[in-house]
Amino acid sequence: MNYTVCHCERSEAISCLTRDRHALRARDDTKRGQALVALLVFVIMAITITSASVSLMIVSSGAASVVEGGARALAIAESGAENALIRALRNPTTYTGETLTVGDGRATVVVSGTNPKTIVSRAEEGSYVRTVEVTLQLASGIWGITSWREDTQ
């Protein structure tokens, strides 16, 4: 501890030393308080950055599940259209469609027209709905696919 040389009488010297000791202790308490404030600011910044990162991950995973659900529904719609193609080629006059269960989803297939023949496959899986439309044309006794598109209504 640093003591200031005091040019006082003995009774005044004791009070001078006590006053210096209190001043030093107050200065140490201030430094400890500053370190606590700096630590609190750092902790708050770390919590804020961590919270932002976690919320971004939650939003990203939600968006990824929406894309994945839509892709599964599209795959089911295409499966329904492919099944309808095979059935329409095997039985072109009487096949008008069906409901096909694929995994957790279902495809409702409707076949209409004679030449060209249109196949519409509407798939539902949970809250996701996708539709595929295929057009067949008969030319020289051979059925050919003239268009295959996803209906974006």
Side-chain angles (χ1 to χ4, degrees):
M1 200 181 259
N2 276 338
Y3 293 105
T4 328
V5 177
C6 186
H7 300 288
C8 309
E9 292 183 22
R10 181 164 166 61
S11 63
E12 290 177 3
I14 291 174
S15 80
C16 191
L17 285 173
T18 306
R19 191 176 43 229
D20 286 347
R21 198 176 304 143
H22 288 302
L24 286 172
R25 190 174 297 142
R27 212 176 306 146
D28 286 345
D29 288 344
T30 304
K31 287 181 183 177
R32 265 189 259 144
Q34 288 174 350
L36 181 62
V37 169
L39 178 65
L40 284 174
V41 167
F42 176 75
V43 167
I44 289 171
M45 287 175 53
I47 289 172
T48 303
I49 290 169
T50 303
S51 299
S53 298
V54 167
S55 65
L56 282 174
M57 287 185 344
I58 290 170
V59 168
S60 294
S61 70
S65 69
V66 167
V67 169
E68 182 183 349
R72 281 194 312 262
L74 179 60
I76 293 169
E78 288 181 341
S79 295
E82 289 170 1
N83 186 61
L85 275 171
I86 292 170
R87 290 176 162 269
L89 291 174
R90 288 182 183 163
N91 200 356
T93 56
T94 59
Y95 181 70
T96 58
E98 66 183 309
T99 299
L100 181 68
T101 301
V102 179
D104 293 334
R106 128 181 132 243
T108 305
V109 180
V110 176
V111 180
S112 60
T114 53
N115 193 19
K117 198 177 276 284
T118 304
I119 299 171
V120 177
S121 176
R122 182 177 190 272
E124 297 176 13
E125 187 193 39
S127 62
Y128 304 102
V129 177
R130 299 293 274 277
T131 304
V132 171
E133 186 177 298
V134 181
T135 306
L136 300 171
Q137 184 77 38
L138 181 63
S140 302
I142 298 174
W143 286 101
I145 298 173
T146 56
S147 76
W148 183 296
R149 66 181 181 91
E150 180 181 0
D151 195 6
T152 55
Q153 291 181 355

